[in-house]
Coordinates of all heavy atoms in Angstrom, one line a residue:
M142 N -13.8 3.6 23.6 CA -14.2 2.8 22.6 C -13.3 3.0 21.3 O -13.0 2.1 20.6 CB -15.7 3.2 22.3 CG -16.3 2.3 21.1 SD -16.4 0.7 21.6 CE -17.5 0.1 20.4
K143 N -13.1 4.3 21.1 CA -12.3 4.6 19.8 C -10.9 4.0 20.0 O -10.3 3.3 19.0 CB -12.1 6.1 19.7 CG -11.4 6.6 18.5 CD -11.4 8.0 18.3 CE -10.9 8.8 19.5 NZ -10.8 10.2 19.5
K144 N -10.2 4.1 21.1 CA -8.8 3.6 21.2 C -8.9 2.1 21.0 O -8.0 1.5 20.4 CB -8.4 4.0 22.6 CG -6.9 3.6 22.9 CD -6.4 4.2 24.1 CE -4.9 3.8 24.2 NZ -4.3 4.5 25.4
Q145 N -10.0 1.4 21.6 CA -10.0 -0.1 21.4 C -10.2 -0.4 20.1 O -9.6 -1.4 19.5 CB -11.2 -0.6 22.2 CG -11.3 -2.1 22.2 CD -10.1 -2.9 22.6 OE1 -9.4 -2.4 23.7 NE2 -9.9 -4.0 22.1
K146 N -11.0 0.3 19.3 CA -11.2 0.1 17.7 C -9.8 0.3 17.0 O -9.5 -0.6 16.2 CB -12.3 1.0 17.3 CG -12.5 0.9 15.8 CD -13.3 -0.3 15.4 CE -13.7 -0.1 14.0 NZ -14.3 -1.3 13.4
L147 N -9.1 1.2 17.4 CA -7.9 1.4 16.7 C -6.9 0.3 17.1 O -6.1 -0.1 16.1 CB -7.3 2.9 17.2 CG -8.1 4.1 16.6 CD1 -7.5 5.3 17.2 CD2 -8.1 4.2 15.1
K148 N -6.8 -0.1 18.3 CA -6.0 -1.2 18.6 C -6.4 -2.4 17.9 O -5.5 -3.2 17.3 CB -6.0 -1.5 20.1 CG -5.2 -0.4 21.0 CD -5.2 -0.8 22.5 CE -4.4 0.1 23.2 NZ -4.3 -0.3 24.6
E149 N -7.7 -2.8 17.7 CA -8.1 -3.9 17.0 C -7.7 -3.8 15.5 O -7.2 -4.7 14.9 CB -9.6 -4.0 17.0 CG -10.1 -4.5 18.5 CD -11.7 -4.4 18.5 OE1 -12.3 -4.1 17.6 OE2 -12.1 -4.6 19.7
L150 N -7.8 -2.6 15.0 CA -7.4 -2.4 13.5 C -5.9 -2.6 13.4 O -5.4 -3.2 12.4 CB -7.6 -1.0 13.0 CG -9.1 -0.5 12.8 CD1 -9.4 0.9 12.6 CD2 -9.7 -1.4 11.6
L151 N -5.1 -2.2 14.3 CA -3.6 -2.3 14.3 C -3.3 -3.8 14.3 O -2.4 -4.3 13.6 CB -3.0 -1.6 15.3 CG -1.5 -1.7 15.5 CD1 -0.8 -1.1 14.4 CD2 -0.9 -0.9 16.8
E152 N -3.9 -4.6 15.2 CA -3.6 -6.0 15.3 C -4.0 -6.7 14.1 O -3.2 -7.5 13.6 CB -4.4 -6.5 16.6 CG -3.8 -6.1 17.9 CD -2.3 -6.3 18.0 OE1 -1.8 -7.4 17.7 OE2 -1.6 -5.4 18.5
Q153 N -5.1 -6.4 13.5 CA -5.6 -6.9 12.2 C -4.5 -6.7 11.2 O -4.1 -7.6 10.3 CB -6.8 -6.5 11.8 CG -7.3 -6.9 10.5 CD -8.7 -6.3 10.0 OE1 -9.4 -5.6 10.8 NE2 -9.2 -6.7 8.8
T154 N -4.0 -5.4 11.1 CA -3.0 -5.0 10.1 C -1.8 -5.8 10.3 O -1.0 -6.3 9.3 CB -2.8 -3.5 10.2 OG1 -4.0 -2.8 10.0 CG2 -1.7 -3.1 9.2
K155 N -1.3 -5.9 11.5 CA -0.1 -6.7 11.8 C -0.2 -8.2 11.4 O 0.7 -8.7 10.8 CB 0.2 -6.7 13.4 CG 0.7 -5.5 13.8 CD 0.9 -5.5 15.4 CE 1.4 -4.2 16.0 NZ 1.6 -4.4 17.5
V156 N -1.4 -8.7 11.5 CA -1.6 -10.2 11.1 C -1.5 -10.2 9.5 O -0.8 -11.0 9.0 CB -2.9 -10.8 11.5 CG1 -3.3 -12.0 10.9 CG2 -2.9 -11.0 13.1
E157 N -2.1 -9.2 8.9 CA -2.2 -9.2 7.4 C -0.8 -9.0 6.9 O -0.4 -9.6 5.9 CB -3.1 -8.1 6.9 CG -4.5 -8.4 7.2 CD -5.5 -7.2 6.7 OE1 -5.1 -6.4 5.9 OE2 -6.6 -7.2 7.2
I158 N 0.0 -8.1 7.5 CA 1.4 -7.9 7.0 C 2.2 -9.1 7.2 O 3.1 -9.5 6.3 CB 2.0 -6.7 7.8 CG1 1.2 -5.3 7.3 CG2 3.5 -6.5 7.5 CD1 1.4 -5.0 5.9
A159 N 2.1 -9.7 8.4 CA 2.8 -11.0 8.7 C 2.5 -12.0 7.7 O 3.4 -12.7 7.2 CB 2.6 -11.4 10.2
D160 N 1.2 -12.2 7.4 CA 0.8 -13.2 6.4 C 1.5 -12.9 5.0 O 2.0 -13.8 4.3 CB -0.6 -13.2 6.2 CG -1.5 -13.8 7.4 OD1 -0.8 -14.4 8.3 OD2 -2.7 -13.6 7.5
E161 N 1.5 -11.6 4.6 CA 2.2 -11.3 3.4 C 3.7 -11.6 3.4 O 4.2 -12.1 2.4 CB 1.8 -9.8 2.9 CG 0.5 -9.6 2.6 CD -0.1 -10.4 1.4 OE1 0.7 -10.8 0.5 OE2 -1.3 -10.6 1.4
L162 N 4.3 -11.3 4.5 CA 5.7 -11.6 4.6 C 6.0 -13.0 4.6 O 6.9 -13.5 4.0 CB 6.3 -11.0 5.9 CG 6.3 -9.4 5.8 CD1 6.6 -8.9 7.3 CD2 7.3 -8.9 4.8
D163 N 5.2 -13.7 5.3 CA 5.4 -15.2 5.3 C 5.2 -15.8 4.0 O 6.0 -16.7 3.5 CB 4.3 -16.0 6.3 CG 4.7 -15.7 7.7 OD1 5.7 -15.2 8.0 OD2 3.8 -15.8 8.6
S164 N 4.2 -15.4 3.2 CA 4.0 -15.8 1.8 C 5.2 -15.5 1.0 O 5.7 -16.3 0.1 CB 2.8 -15.2 1.3 OG 2.5 -15.6 0.0
F165 N 5.8 -14.2 1.1 CA 6.8 -13.9 0.3 C 8.1 -14.8 0.7 O 8.8 -15.2 -0.3 CB 7.2 -12.4 0.7 CG 8.5 -11.8 0.0 CD1 8.5 -11.5 -1.4 CD2 9.7 -11.8 0.7 CE1 9.6 -11.1 -2.0 CE2 10.8 -11.3 0.2 CZ 10.7 -10.9 -1.2
I166 N 8.4 -15.0 1.9 CA 9.6 -15.9 2.2 C 9.4 -17.2 1.7 O 10.2 -17.9 1.2 CB 9.8 -15.7 3.8 CG1 10.1 -14.4 4.2 CG2 10.7 -16.9 4.2 CD1 11.4 -14.0 3.6
E167 N 8.2 -17.8 1.8 CA 7.8 -19.2 1.3 C 8.0 -19.2 -0.2 O 8.6 -20.2 -0.7 CB 6.3 -19.4 1.6 CG 5.9 -20.8 1.2 CD 6.8 -22.0 1.7 OE1 7.2 -21.9 3.0 OE2 7.1 -23.0 1.1
K168 N 7.5 -18.2 -1.0 CA 7.9 -18.2 -2.4 C 9.4 -18.2 -2.7 O 9.8 -18.9 -3.6 CB 7.2 -16.9 -3.0 CG 5.7 -17.1 -3.0 CD 5.0 -15.9 -3.6 CE 3.6 -15.9 -3.5 NZ 2.9 -14.6 -3.9
I169 N 10.1 -17.4 -1.9 CA 11.5 -17.2 -2.3 C 12.2 -18.6 -1.9 O 13.1 -19.1 -2.7 CB 12.2 -16.1 -1.3 CG1 11.5 -14.8 -1.8 CG2 13.7 -16.2 -1.5 CD1 11.7 -14.4 -3.2
D170 N 11.8 -19.2 -0.8 CA 12.4 -20.5 -0.4 C 12.0 -21.5 -1.3 O 13.0 -22.3 -1.7 CB 11.8 -20.8 1.1 CG 12.4 -22.1 1.6 OD1 13.7 -22.3 1.6 OD2 11.6 -23.0 2.0
S171 N 10.8 -21.6 -1.7 CA 10.6 -22.8 -2.7 C 11.1 -22.5 -4.0 O 11.4 -23.5 -4.7 CB 8.9 -22.8 -2.8 OG 8.4 -21.8 -3.4
S172 N 11.4 -21.3 -4.4 CA 11.8 -21.0 -5.9 C 13.5 -21.1 -5.8 O 14.0 -20.8 -6.9 CB 11.4 -19.7 -6.3 OG 11.8 -18.6 -5.4
T173 N 14.0 -21.4 -4.7 CA 15.4 -21.6 -4.6 C 15.9 -23.0 -4.3 O 17.0 -23.2 -3.8 CB 16.1 -20.6 -3.7 OG1 15.5 -20.7 -2.3 CG2 15.9 -19.2 -4.2
D174 N 14.9 -23.9 -4.3 CA 15.2 -25.3 -3.9 C 16.0 -26.1 -5.0 O 16.8 -26.9 -4.7 CB 13.9 -26.1 -3.6 CG 13.2 -25.7 -2.3 OD1 14.1 -25.2 -1.4 OD2 12.1 -25.9 -2.1
D175 N 15.5 -25.8 -6.2 CA 16.1 -26.5 -7.4 C 17.1 -25.7 -8.1 O 16.8 -24.7 -8.7 CB 14.9 -26.8 -8.4 CG 15.4 -27.7 -9.5 OD1 16.6 -28.0 -9.6 OD2 14.5 -27.9 -10.4
P176 N 18.4 -26.1 -8.0 CA 19.5 -25.3 -8.7 C 19.2 -25.2 -10.2 O 19.7 -24.2 -10.9 CB 20.8 -26.0 -8.4 CG 20.5 -27.0 -7.2 CD 18.9 -27.2 -7.3
N177 N 18.6 -26.1 -10.8 CA 18.2 -26.1 -12.2 C 17.2 -25.2 -12.7 O 16.9 -24.8 -13.7 CB 18.0 -27.5 -12.8 CG 19.2 -28.4 -12.6 OD1 20.2 -28.0 -12.9 ND2 18.9 -29.7 -12.3
N178 N 16.3 -24.7 -11.6 CA 15.3 -23.9 -11.9 C 15.1 -22.8 -10.8 O 14.2 -22.6 -10.1 CB 13.9 -24.6 -11.8 CG 12.8 -23.8 -12.4 OD1 12.9 -22.8 -13.1 ND2 11.6 -24.3 -12.1
F179 N 16.4 -22.1 -10.6 CA 16.6 -21.2 -9.6 C 15.9 -19.8 -9.8 O 15.7 -19.4 -10.9 CB 18.0 -21.0 -9.3 CG 18.5 -20.5 -7.9 CD1 18.5 -21.4 -6.9 CD2 18.7 -19.2 -7.7 CE1 18.9 -21.1 -5.7 CE2 19.1 -18.8 -6.3 CZ 19.2 -19.8 -5.4
L180 N 15.6 -19.1 -8.8 CA 14.8 -17.8 -8.8 C 15.8 -16.9 -9.6 O 16.9 -16.8 -9.2 CB 14.6 -17.3 -7.4 CG 14.1 -16.0 -7.2 CD1 12.6 -15.9 -7.6 CD2 14.3 -15.6 -5.8
T181 N 15.3 -16.2 -10.6 CA 16.0 -15.1 -11.3 C 15.8 -13.8 -10.6 O 14.8 -13.6 -9.8 CB 15.5 -15.0 -12.8 OG1 14.2 -14.6 -12.7 CG2 15.7 -16.3 -13.4
M182 N 16.7 -12.8 -10.9 CA 16.6 -11.5 -10.3 C 15.2 -10.9 -10.7 O 14.5 -10.2 -10.0 CB 17.7 -10.6 -10.7 CG 19.0 -10.9 -10.0 SD 18.8 -10.7 -8.2 CE 18.5 -9.1 -8.0
T183 N 14.9 -11.2 -12.0 CA 13.6 -10.6 -12.5 C 12.4 -11.3 -11.7 O 11.4 -10.4 -11.4 CB 13.4 -11.0 -14.1 OG1 14.5 -10.4 -14.8 CG2 12.1 -10.5 -14.6
E184 N 12.4 -12.4 -11.5 CA 11.3 -13.0 -10.8 C 11.4 -12.5 -9.2 O 10.3 -12.2 -8.7 CB 11.5 -14.6 -10.7 CG 11.2 -15.2 -12.0 CD 11.7 -16.6 -12.1 OE1 12.6 -17.1 -11.4 OE2 11.1 -17.4 -13.0
L185 N 12.6 -12.3 -8.7 CA 12.7 -11.8 -7.3 C 12.1 -10.4 -7.3 O 11.4 -10.0 -6.3 CB 14.1 -11.8 -6.9 CG 14.4 -11.1 -5.5 CD1 13.6 -11.7 -4.4 CD2 15.9 -11.0 -5.2
E186 N 12.4 -9.6 -8.3 CA 12.0 -8.2 -8.3 C 10.4 -8.2 -8.5 O 9.7 -7.5 -7.9 CB 12.6 -7.4 -9.4 CG 14.1 -7.1 -9.2 CD 14.8 -6.5 -10.3 OE1 14.3 -6.5 -11.5 OE2 15.9 -6.0 -10.2
K187 N 9.9 -9.1 -9.2 CA 8.4 -9.2 -9.4 C 7.8 -9.6 -8.0 O 6.8 -9.0 -7.7 CB 8.1 -10.4 -10.5 CG 6.7 -10.5 -10.7 CD 6.4 -11.6 -11.6 CE 4.8 -11.8 -11.6 NZ 4.5 -13.1 -12.3
Q188 N 8.3 -10.6 -7.3 CA 7.8 -11.0 -6.1 C 7.9 -9.8 -5.1 O 6.9 -9.5 -4.3 CB 8.6 -12.1 -5.5 CG 8.3 -13.4 -6.2 CD 6.9 -13.8 -6.3 OE1 6.1 -13.7 -5.3 NE2 6.5 -14.4 -7.4
W189 N 9.0 -9.0 -5.1 CA 9.3 -7.9 -4.2 C 8.2 -6.8 -4.5 O 7.6 -6.2 -3.7 CB 10.6 -7.4 -4.4 CG 11.1 -6.2 -3.6 CD1 10.3 -5.7 -2.5 CD2 12.2 -5.4 -3.7 NE1 11.1 -4.6 -1.9 CE2 12.2 -4.5 -2.7 CE3 13.2 -5.5 -4.6 CZ2 13.2 -3.5 -2.5 CZ3 14.2 -4.5 -4.4 CH2 14.2 -3.6 -3.4
K190 N 7.9 -6.6 -5.8 CA 7.0 -5.6 -6.3 C 5.6 -5.9 -5.7 O 4.8 -5.1 -5.2 CB 7.0 -5.3 -7.7 CG 6.0 -4.3 -8.2 CD 6.1 -4.0 -9.7 CE 5.1 -3.0 -10.2 NZ 5.1 -2.7 -11.5
E191 N 5.2 -7.2 -5.9 CA 3.9 -7.7 -5.5 C 3.8 -7.5 -3.9 O 2.7 -7.1 -3.4 CB 3.6 -9.1 -5.8 CG 3.4 -9.4 -7.3 CD 3.2 -10.8 -7.6 OE1 3.0 -11.7 -6.7 OE2 3.4 -11.1 -8.8
L192 N 4.8 -7.8 -3.1 CA 4.9 -7.7 -1.7 C 4.7 -6.3 -1.3 O 3.7 -5.8 -0.5 CB 6.1 -8.2 -1.1 CG 6.4 -7.9 0.4 CD1 5.3 -8.7 1.2 CD2 7.8 -8.2 0.9
S193 N 5.3 -5.3 -2.1 CA 5.2 -3.9 -1.8 C 3.8 -3.4 -2.1 O 3.3 -2.6 -1.3 CB 6.3 -3.2 -2.7 OG 6.2 -1.7 -2.4
L194 N 3.1 -3.7 -3.1 CA 1.9 -3.3 -3.6 C 0.8 -3.9 -2.5 O -0.1 -3.1 -2.1 CB 1.5 -3.8 -4.9 CG 2.2 -3.2 -6.0 CD1 1.9 -3.8 -7.4 CD2 1.9 -1.6 -6.2
K195 N 1.0 -5.2 -2.1 CA 0.0 -5.6 -1.2 C 0.1 -5.0 0.2 O -0.9 -4.7 0.8 CB 0.3 -7.2 -1.0 CG -0.2 -8.0 -2.3 CD 0.1 -9.4 -2.1 CE -0.3 -10.2 -3.4 NZ 0.1 -11.7 -3.3
T196 N 1.4 -4.8 0.6 CA 1.5 -4.2 1.9 C 1.1 -2.7 1.9 O 0.5 -2.2 3.0 CB 2.9 -4.3 2.5 OG1 3.9 -3.9 1.5 CG2 3.3 -5.8 2.8
H197 N 1.4 -2.1 0.9 CA 0.9 -0.7 0.8 C -0.6 -0.6 0.8 O -1.1 0.4 1.6 CB 1.4 -0.1 -0.6 CG 1.0 1.3 -0.9 ND1 1.6 2.4 -0.2 CD2 0.0 1.9 -1.5 CE1 1.0 3.5 -0.6 NE2 0.0 3.2 -1.4
K198 N -1.2 -1.4 0.2 CA -2.8 -1.5 0.2 C -3.2 -1.8 1.7 O -4.1 -1.1 2.2 CB -3.4 -2.5 -0.7 CG -4.8 -2.5 -0.6 CD -5.5 -3.5 -1.6 CE -7.0 -3.5 -1.6 NZ -7.7 -2.9 -0.4
I199 N -2.6 -2.7 2.4 CA -2.9 -3.0 3.7 C -2.8 -1.7 4.7 O -3.6 -1.3 5.4 CB -2.0 -4.1 4.3 CG1 -2.4 -5.4 3.6 CG2 -2.3 -4.2 5.8 CD1 -1.5 -6.6 3.8
Y200 N -1.6 -1.0 4.5 CA -1.3 0.2 5.2 C -2.4 1.3 4.9 O -2.8 2.0 5.8 CB 0.0 0.7 5.0 CG 1.1 -0.1 5.7 CD1 2.3 -0.6 5.0 CD2 1.0 -0.3 7.0 CE1 3.2 -1.4 5.5 CE2 2.0 -1.1 7.6 CZ 3.1 -1.6 6.9 OH 4.1 -2.2 7.5
S201 N -2.7 1.4 3.6 CA -3.7 2.4 3.2 C -5.1 2.1 3.7 O -5.8 3.0 4.2 CB -3.8 2.4 1.6 OG -2.7 2.9 1.1
D202 N -5.4 0.8 3.8 CA -6.7 0.4 4.4 C -6.7 0.7 5.9 O -7.8 1.1 6.5 CB -6.9 -1.1 4.3 CG -7.3 -1.5 2.7 OD1 -7.6 -0.6 2.0 OD2 -7.2 -2.7 2.5
L203 N -5.5 0.6 6.6 CA -5.5 0.8 8.0 C -5.7 2.4 8.2 O -6.5 2.7 9.1 CB -4.1 0.5 8.5 CG -3.7 1.0 9.9 CD1 -4.7 0.4 11.0 CD2 -2.3 0.8 10.3
V204 N -5.1 3.2 7.4 CA -5.3 4.7 7.5 C -6.8 5.0 7.3 O -7.3 5.7 8.0 CB -4.4 5.5 6.6 CG1 -4.8 6.9 6.6 CG2 -2.9 5.2 7.0
S205 N -7.4 4.4 6.2 CA -8.8 4.7 5.9 C -9.7 4.2 7.1 O -10.6 5.1 7.4 CB -9.1 4.0 4.7 OG -10.4 4.1 4.3
K206 N -9.5 3.1 7.6 CA -10.3 2.6 8.6 C -10.1 3.4 9.9 O -11.1 3.6 10.6 CB -10.1 1.0 8.8 CG -10.5 0.2 7.7 CD -10.1 -1.2 7.9 CE -10.5 -2.1 6.7 NZ -10.0 -3.6 6.9
S207 N -9.0 3.7 10.1 CA -8.6 4.6 11.3 C -9.4 5.8 11.3 O -10.0 6.3 12.4 CB -7.1 4.8 11.5 OG -6.4 3.6 11.7
L208 N -9.3 6.6 10.2 CA -9.9 7.7 9.9 C -11.5 7.7 10.0 O -12.2 8.5 10.6 CB -9.7 8.5 8.7 CG -8.2 9.0 8.5 CD1 -7.9 9.6 7.1 CD2 -7.9 10.1 9.6
S209 N -12.0 6.6 9.6 CA -13.4 6.3 9.6 C -13.9 6.1 11.1 O -15.1 6.4 11.4 CB -13.8 5.0 8.8 OG -13.6 5.3 7.4
S210 N -12.9 5.6 11.9 CA -13.4 5.4 13.3 C -13.3 6.5 14.1 O -13.9 6.5 15.3 CB -12.5 4.2 13.9 OG -11.2 4.7 14.2
V211 N -12.7 7.5 13.6 CA -12.6 8.9 14.4 C -14.0 9.6 14.0 O -14.4 9.7 12.8 CB -11.4 9.6 14.0 CG1 -11.3 11.0 14.7 CG2 -10.1 8.9 14.3
E212 N -14.5 10.3 15.1 CA -15.8 11.1 14.8 C -15.5 12.1 13.8 O -14.5 12.8 13.9 CB -16.3 11.6 16.2 CG -16.7 10.6 17.1 CD -17.2 11.2 18.4 OE1 -17.8 12.4 18.3 OE2 -17.1 10.7 19.4
S213 N -16.5 12.3 12.9 CA -16.4 13.3 11.9 C -16.3 14.7 12.4 O -15.5 15.6 11.9 CB -17.5 13.2 10.9 OG -18.8 13.5 11.6
K214 N -16.9 14.9 13.6 CA -16.7 16.3 14.2 C -15.3 16.5 14.7 O -14.8 17.7 14.5 CB -17.6 16.3 15.5 CG -17.5 17.7 16.2 CD -18.5 17.6 17.5 CE -18.3 18.9 18.2 NZ -19.1 19.0 19.5
E215 N -14.6 15.6 15.1 CA -13.2 15.7 15.5 C -12.3 16.1 14.2 O -11.5 16.9 14.3 CB -12.7 14.6 16.2 CG -13.2 14.3 17.6 CD -12.9 12.9 18.1 OE1 -12.2 12.1 17.5 OE2 -13.2 12.7 19.3
L216 N -12.7 15.4 13.1 CA -12.0 15.6 12.0 C -12.1 17.0 11.3 O -11.2 17.7 11.0 CB -12.3 14.6 10.9 CG -11.7 13.2 11.2 CD1 -12.3 12.3 9.9 CD2 -10.3 13.2 11.0
R217 N -13.4 17.4 11.4 CA -13.7 18.8 11.0 C -13.0 19.9 11.8 O -12.5 20.9 11.3 CB -15.3 19.1 11.1 CG -16.1 18.4 10.0 CD -17.5 18.9 9.8 NE -18.2 18.9 11.0 CZ -18.9 17.9 11.5 NH1 -19.0 16.8 10.7 NH2 -19.6 17.9 12.6
I218 N -13.0 19.8 13.1 CA -12.3 20.7 14.0 C -10.8 20.6 13.6 O -10.2 21.7 13.6 CB -12.5 20.3 15.5 CG1 -13.9 20.6 15.9 CG2 -11.6 21.1 16.5 CD1 -14.4 20.0 17.2
S219 N -10.2 19.5 13.5 CA -8.8 19.4 13.1 C -8.5 20.1 11.8 O -7.6 20.8 11.7 CB -8.4 17.9 13.2 OG -7.0 17.8 12.7
K220 N -9.4 19.7 10.9 CA -9.2 20.4 9.6 C -9.3 22.0 9.6 O -8.4 22.6 9.0 CB -10.2 19.8 8.5 CG -10.1 20.3 7.1 CD -11.0 19.7 6.1 CE -10.9 20.2 4.8 NZ -11.8 19.6 3.9
K221 N -10.3 22.4 10.3 CA -10.4 23.8 10.6 C -9.2 24.4 11.2 O -8.7 25.4 10.8 CB -11.8 24.1 11.3 CG -12.1 25.5 11.5 CD -13.3 25.8 12.1 CE -13.7 27.3 12.3 NZ -15.0 27.4 13.0
D222 N -8.8 23.8 12.3 CA -7.6 24.3 12.9 C -6.3 24.4 12.0 O -5.6 25.3 12.0 CB -7.2 23.5 14.2 CG -8.2 23.7 15.3 OD1 -9.0 24.6 15.3 OD2 -8.1 22.7 16.2
N223 N -6.1 23.4 11.2 CA -5.0 23.3 10.3 C -5.2 24.4 9.2 O -4.2 25.0 8.8 CB -4.9 22.0 9.7 CG -4.4 20.9 10.5 OD1 -3.8 21.2 11.5 ND2 -4.7 19.7 10.3
S224 N -6.3 24.6 8.7 CA -6.7 25.6 7.7 C -6.3 27.0 8.2 O -5.8 27.8 7.5 CB -8.1 25.6 7.2 OG -8.2 24.4 6.5
S225 N -6.8 27.3 9.5 CA -6.6 28.5 10.1 C -5.2 28.8 10.3 O -4.7 29.9 10.1 CB -7.2 28.5 11.5 OG -8.7 28.5 11.4
R226 N -4.3 27.8 10.6 CA -2.9 28.0 10.9 C -2.2 28.4 9.4 O -1.3 29.3 9.5 CB -2.3 26.7 11.5 CG -2.4 26.8 12.9 CD -1.6 25.6 13.5 NE -2.7 24.7 13.9 CZ -2.6 23.5 14.0 NH1 -1.6 22.8 13.5 NH2 -3.6 22.7 14.4
K227 N -2.6 27.7 8.4 CA -2.2 28.0 7.1 C -2.5 29.4 6.6 O -1.5 30.1 6.0 CB -2.6 27.0 6.1 CG -2.0 25.6 6.3 CD -2.4 24.6 5.4 CE -2.0 23.3 5.5 NZ -2.5 22.2 4.7
E228 N -3.7 29.8 6.9 CA -4.1 31.0 6.4 C -3.4 32.2 7.1 O -3.1 33.3 6.5 CB -5.6 31.2 6.5 CG -6.4 30.4 5.6 CD -7.9 30.4 5.9 OE1 -8.3 31.1 6.8 OE2 -8.7 29.7 5.2
S229 N -3.1 32.0 8.4 CA -2.5 33.1 9.2 C -1.0 33.1 9.0 O -0.3 34.0 9.5 CB -2.8 32.9 10.7 OG -2.2 31.7 11.1
G230 N -0.4 32.2 8.3 CA 1.1 32.0 8.2 C 1.6 32.7 7.1 O 1.7 33.5 6.4

């Protein structure tokens, strides 16, 4: 069940990332059609920053949702194991 849920989250994330990339390319394409009103480097950097922020949020949501789908007992055991290794090192 957990593996299936994680696969579903991954597929959803792929779609969201692809949508953002498609939107970015569309904006670049449309803003380079008219030579008299061509995309500036400042506008390109702004679009790039927006893409980066949006995709970063999508990846963060994936990590958050993935952790939420893992049983809390497994997380506590993992955290305890990691803490034990740090203390003994």
Side-chain angles (χ1 to χ4, degrees):
M142 180 67 169
K143 177 176 58 173
K144 187 173 186 173
Q145 181 61 32
K146 175 79 171 168
L147 293 172
K148 283 184 178 185
E149 289 170 8
L150 288 171
L151 179 60
E152 290 306 313
Q153 177 184 356
T154 300
K155 288 178 182 180
V156 168
E157 291 176 25
I158 294 292
D160 288 347
E161 290 301 333
L162 291 171
D163 289 343
S164 177
F165 174 77
I166 294 300
E167 180 59 37
K168 288 175 188 174
I169 300 303
D170 183 47
S171 66
S172 62
T173 56
D174 286 342
D175 181 4
N177 296 321
N178 195 19
F179 206 79
L180 175 73
T181 65
M182 285 304 295
T183 301
E184 292 166 339
L185 174 60
E186 289 172 347
K187 179 183 173 197
Q188 293 299 323
W189 181 12
K190 183 177 180 178
E191 286 179 19
L192 174 66
S193 179
L194 291 172
K195 288 176 181 177
T196 55
H197 180 76
K198 181 177 179 345
I199 294 168
Y200 288 126
S201 295
D202 289 347
L203 170 66
V204 171
S205 176
K206 290 174 184 176
S207 296
L208 290 176
S209 294
S210 73
V211 176
E212 291 183 32
S213 60
K214 180 181 176 184
E215 293 170 352
L216 287 174
R217 283 195 306 273
I218 291 169
S219 174
K220 184 176 178 181
K221 185 176 179 180
D222 288 346
N223 286 335
S224 296
S225 297
R226 279 185 249 146
K227 288 180 186 176
E228 291 172 2
S229 64

